[in-house]
């Protein structure tokens, strides 16, 4: 039997990669399944999803400005248009189930699906639930989460602890760390720091790394620095002064190799990054973004820091503290090893397969 499955959400790689992982797992389990993605117009999912071989429809939805409320008048108009379009999508596609992975598009689609009696599944990636998912929870059939204690946000009887899906390619690289360093053009005998602020870049993370460059050189630490798009020329010109020990690039095409080579990672604390760190057992310094809903990145980082699975530095302290924090960790391999083990102990591997299994159970339930 063939099923129609709607997957909605996006806006960032942290939403898109798990969504694609779930879709791929569903295709492996049910090769004849018919999957349609719904995303937000002009966001990265409108390119990434078709590139992965799936159809996608965009909604003209946008996020609320929580600081300047007067700017939300056009946002409300876009939401109204999105609700109308969501009704048409659900009516035309006739899904057997709708899945929300977070992001602007999840709300209108799942709300309409629930209104029509279509089963819905929520995949909440963070340790602190978003407003949209909390509003949708009462009508959801199942809620898949990555952290314990989520019953403070959702009905306990609907919760399934599955973890967050991680790109399988990241786990397929089996090189030794020294070999991975050599493949990236670094000295295999010296420690390597990998810094990633995401595809767009994170200004504070980049400024903190720039401030730390002299101390990294003094400590003999090599650096692979993904600057992201914003400010790339400025930060990459600074990095050039420290070549060949520092390599800065706008994007890292082979994230599996970068993770494999790293003795330590510095990153934001998005759910996708956290799950990658856990699954790969990598010691990390996390700098949570303060510019996210419900300050959820700080909650994500605290979940690891409280178990000595990562160091957390608040955004406001990053420029001042990053250099000394990295130096201390690079000088203490036993601490790094312990942090990596603790991170790995928090991993939920095979999350995509577990979520796909839950979906098939819902679909086949009489």
């Amino acid at each position: 039997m063939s099923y129609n499955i709607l997957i909605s959400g996006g806006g960032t790689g942290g939403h898109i990669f798990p969504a694609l992982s779930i879709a791929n797992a569903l295709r492996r389990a049910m090769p004849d399944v018919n999957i349609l993605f719904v995303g937000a117009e002009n966001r990265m999912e409108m390119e990434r999803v078709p590139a992965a071989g799936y159809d996608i429809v965009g909604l003209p939805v946008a996020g609320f400005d929580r600081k300047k409320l007067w700017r939300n008048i056009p946002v409300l108009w876009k939401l109204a248009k999105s609700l109308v379009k969501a009704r048409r999508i659900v009516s035309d596609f006739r899904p057997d189930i709708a899945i929300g992975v977070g992001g602007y598009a999840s709300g209108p689609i799942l709300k309409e699906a629930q209104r029509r009696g279509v089963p819905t599944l929520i995949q909440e990636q963070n340790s602190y639930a978003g407003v949209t998912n909390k509003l949708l929870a009462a009508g959801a059939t199942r809620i898949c989460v990555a952290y314990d204690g989520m019953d403070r946000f959702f009905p306990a009887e609907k919760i399934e602890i599955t973890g967050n899906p991680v790109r399988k390619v990241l786990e397929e690289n089996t090189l030794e760390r020294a070999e991975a360093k050599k493949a990236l053009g670094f000295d295999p005998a010296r420690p390597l720091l990998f810094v990633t602020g995401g595809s767009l870049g994170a200004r504070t993370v980049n400024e903190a790394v720039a401030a730390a460059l002299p101390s990294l050189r003094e400590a003999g630490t090599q650096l692979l620095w993904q600057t992201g798009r914003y400010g790339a020329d400025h930060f990459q010109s600074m990095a050039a002064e420290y070549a060949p020990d520092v390599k800065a690039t706008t994007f890292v095409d082979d994230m599996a190799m970068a993770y494999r080579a790293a003795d330590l990672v510095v990153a934001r604390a998005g759910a996708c990054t956290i799950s990658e760190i856990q699954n790969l057992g990598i010691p990390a310094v996390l700098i949570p973004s303060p510019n996210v809903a419900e300050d959820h990145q700080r909650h994500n980082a605290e979940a690891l820091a409280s178990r000595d699975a990562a160091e957390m530095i608040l955004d406001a302290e990053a420029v001042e503290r990053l250099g000394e924090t990295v130096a201390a960790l690079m000088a203490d391999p036993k601490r790094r090893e312990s942090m990596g083990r603790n991170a790995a102990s928090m991993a939920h591997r095979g999350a995509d397969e577990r979520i796909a299994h839950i979906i098939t159970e819902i679909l086949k339930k009489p």
Side-chain angles (χ1 to χ4, degrees):
M1 181 176 178
S2 179
Y3 295 100
N4 290 344
I5 298 179
L6 270 180
I7 302 179
S8 61
T12 67
H15 291 132
I16 297 165
F17 295 134
L20 289 171
S21 294
I22 293 168
N24 292 337
L26 286 168
R27 273 190 173 172
R28 290 193 296 271
M30 299 179 288
D32 58 347
V33 71
N34 186 22
I35 297 173
L36 176 65
F37 279 77
V38 181
E41 291 177 354
N42 302 316
R43 302 289 291 192
M44 63 188 297
E45 59 265 28
M46 302 307 293
E47 295 181 5
R48 296 289 181 90
V49 170
Y54 295 96
D55 294 330
I56 187 168
V57 179
L59 298 181
V61 68
F64 281 90
D65 191 323
R66 297 163 189 262
K67 296 179 180 178
K68 298 177 181 177
L69 297 179
W70 58 270
R71 289 185 174 177
N72 290 318
I73 294 174
V75 173
L76 291 170
W77 172 242
K78 289 181 179 179
L79 176 60
K81 290 173 65 178
S82 296
L83 289 168
V84 171
K85 192 169 183 178
R87 292 191 191 104
R88 188 164 64 249
I89 292 168
V90 175
S91 176
D92 292 346
F93 187 67
R94 300 183 61 158
D96 295 290
I97 189 170
I99 301 158
V101 297
Y104 304 143
S106 281
I109 285 291
L110 262 68
K111 196 65 181 175
E112 179 60 21
Q114 290 176 353
R115 190 181 73 82
R116 292 172 179 261
V118 176
T120 57
L121 180 140
I122 294 170
Q123 202 252 325
E124 173 55 65
Q125 296 148 13
N126 295 295
S127 61
Y128 195 92
V131 171
T132 300
N133 281 348
K134 285 189 281 189
L135 292 173
L136 293 166
T141 308
R142 289 284 191 279
I143 303 169
C144 296
V145 302
Y147 294 90
D148 295 327
M150 297 301 286
D151 52 354
R152 68 191 191 275
F153 304 113
F154 304 129
E157 68 276 8
K158 297 184 178 186
I159 292 175
E160 302 275 359
I161 299 179
T162 60
N164 289 322
V166 170
R167 292 171 282 178
K168 286 193 177 297
V169 67
L170 298 181
E171 299 173 323
E172 292 170 353
N173 189 319
T174 57
L175 289 180
E176 295 294 328
R177 183 173 294 132
E179 294 174 316
K181 288 178 187 176
K182 189 174 181 179
L184 291 171
F186 290 100
D187 182 345
R190 293 165 54 205
L192 175 66
L193 174 67
F194 173 40
V195 176
T196 173
S199 58
L200 296 179
R203 186 180 66 182
T204 303
V205 173
N206 284 335
E207 289 175 347
V209 173
L213 285 173
S215 62
L216 292 176
R217 168 180 277 178
E218 186 177 342
T221 298
Q222 303 173 103
L223 170 63
L224 176 59
W225 184 4
Q226 179 178 283
T227 63
R229 191 177 302 150
Y230 296 141
D233 291 344
H234 170 66
F235 292 113
Q236 288 173 25
S237 67
M238 294 183 69
E241 299 176 19
Y242 293 82
D245 290 343
V246 176
K247 300 181 190 298
T249 180
T250 306
F251 303 106
V252 172
D253 293 325
D254 193 344
M255 286 292 288
M257 188 71 75
Y259 277 137
R260 198 72 183 171
D263 294 277
L264 182 69
V265 170
V266 171
R268 285 301 201 190
C272 189
T273 299
I274 293 280
S275 294
E276 290 170 355
I277 287 167
Q278 291 173 333
N279 277 40
L280 299 173
I282 302 175
V285 177
L286 300 173
I287 305 172
S289 171
N291 305 313
V292 293
E294 285 84 42
D295 201 19
H296 68 254
Q297 286 204 10
R298 181 174 63 83
H299 294 284
N300 291 349
E302 285 175 341
L304 273 72
S306 66
R307 294 177 59 170
D308 195 31
E311 282 273 1
M312 181 179 77
I313 301 177
L314 295 179
D315 190 85
E317 302 171 349
V319 173
E320 180 183 351
R321 291 187 53 205
L322 182 64
E324 64 183 29
T325 301
V326 168
L329 286 169
M330 285 303 196
D332 192 348
K334 288 186 178 179
R335 173 87 194 287
R336 294 200 314 273
E337 185 179 341
S338 174
M339 287 169 60
R341 281 198 309 269
N342 293 340
S345 72
M346 299 176 71
H348 295 278
R349 294 176 178 82
D352 55 347
E353 304 290 348
R354 279 197 294 277
I355 294 170
H357 179 71
I358 293 166
I359 291 166
T360 56
E361 282 186 336
I362 295 170
L363 289 170
K364 294 176 180 179
K365 190 174 181 179

